[in-house]
Amino acid sequence: MIYTYKYKSPLGRILLAADEVGITGLWFEGQKYFGNTLPDKHIPQETEILTEAKKWLDVYFSGEEPKFTPPLHPDGSTFRQAVWKILLQIPYGQTITYGEIARKMAELKNVSRMSAQAVGGAVGHNEISIIIPCHRVIGTNGSLTGYAGGIDKKLSLLELEHADMSYLFVPKKGTAL
């Protein structure tokens, strides 16, 4: 069974979803792919796992790095799971490029190269945003692209983490890399 909880964040309402194993979804209301993995039958009820996710978000939105991770249970292909595992290793307040993730994936798979676009697809379909920090992924040239919650939220999350934003920019429409 999937349980849900609506969390009020400084950036807007967030819908949390969890099963008995861990968090299965975290979406900003109105974002791209909002609740797309949420089954029709779910129960709006706070569980122990959702309470832990709430505590994590409380610490995070207070401007501090949470020193724990609530149990996670993302659903995706082996490739997506491997990309999300790399996302979980990005340090708080730091960024990484799609190309760097592609190089890490190539090493893991023992191949000469991996498509940054394929990595981008996996990053973009991360259903547990913020906790699995896809907002920390940027374009090779410092462009802030590809955040389902919206570029404004990506900027706010990076600012909250005191990330170095001196070289980052929002690309003009149609120029995303």
Side-chain angles (χ1 to χ4, degrees):
M1 181 52 65
I2 299 292
Y3 302 91
T4 59
Y5 179 83
K6 290 183 179 176
Y7 179 86
K8 291 178 187 166
S9 87
L11 301 180
R13 291 180 75 98
I14 290 174
L15 179 65
L16 289 163
D19 60 14
E20 294 79 11
V21 175
I23 301 298
T24 59
L26 187 159
W27 306 273
F28 283 105
E29 269 189 11
Q31 81 168 51
K32 189 176 184 182
Y33 312 122
F34 178 80
N36 67 327
T37 59
L38 198 59
D40 290 338
K41 288 189 176 187
H42 57 274
I43 300 170
Q45 174 185 316
E46 190 171 335
T47 64
E48 192 174 315
I49 291 169
L50 290 169
T51 298
E52 197 165 339
K54 271 179 40 184
K55 287 178 187 168
W56 189 96
L57 289 168
D58 287 344
V59 171
Y60 181 83
F61 283 116
S62 77
E64 294 182 32
E65 178 182 3
K67 301 297 184 204
F68 66 97
T69 303
L72 302 175
H73 195 207
D75 184 29
S77 68
T78 303
F79 179 79
R80 285 183 178 179
Q81 295 277 351
V83 169
W84 299 335
K85 194 172 193 176
I86 291 170
L87 296 182
L88 283 165
Q89 296 167 6
I90 306 168
Y92 180 89
Q94 303 294 311
T95 58
I96 189 172
T97 67
Y98 293 96
E100 288 173 296
I101 296 172
R103 283 188 286 284
K104 288 178 185 248
M105 285 296 293
E107 285 176 29
L108 283 172
K109 296 204 171 269
N110 201 22
V111 295
S112 60
R113 59 185 313 270
M114 179 67 60
S115 163
Q117 285 81 7
V119 164
V123 171
H125 284 86
N126 167 27
E127 299 296 335
I128 308 174
S129 64
I130 308 175
I131 297 174
I132 299 179
C134 52
H135 61 279
R136 296 179 188 150
V137 183
I138 61 170
T140 301
N141 60 355
S143 61
L144 292 167
T145 62
Y147 188 63
I151 296 299
D152 59 327
K153 289 195 176 54
K154 183 171 189 161
L155 275 167
S156 295
L157 294 170
L158 291 172
E159 287 171 357
L160 179 74
E161 295 181 16
H162 305 289
D164 176 8
M165 304 196 37
S166 61
Y167 65 101
L168 303 178
F169 68 97
V170 177
K172 292 185 173 90
K173 193 171 182 123
T175 61
L177 297 176

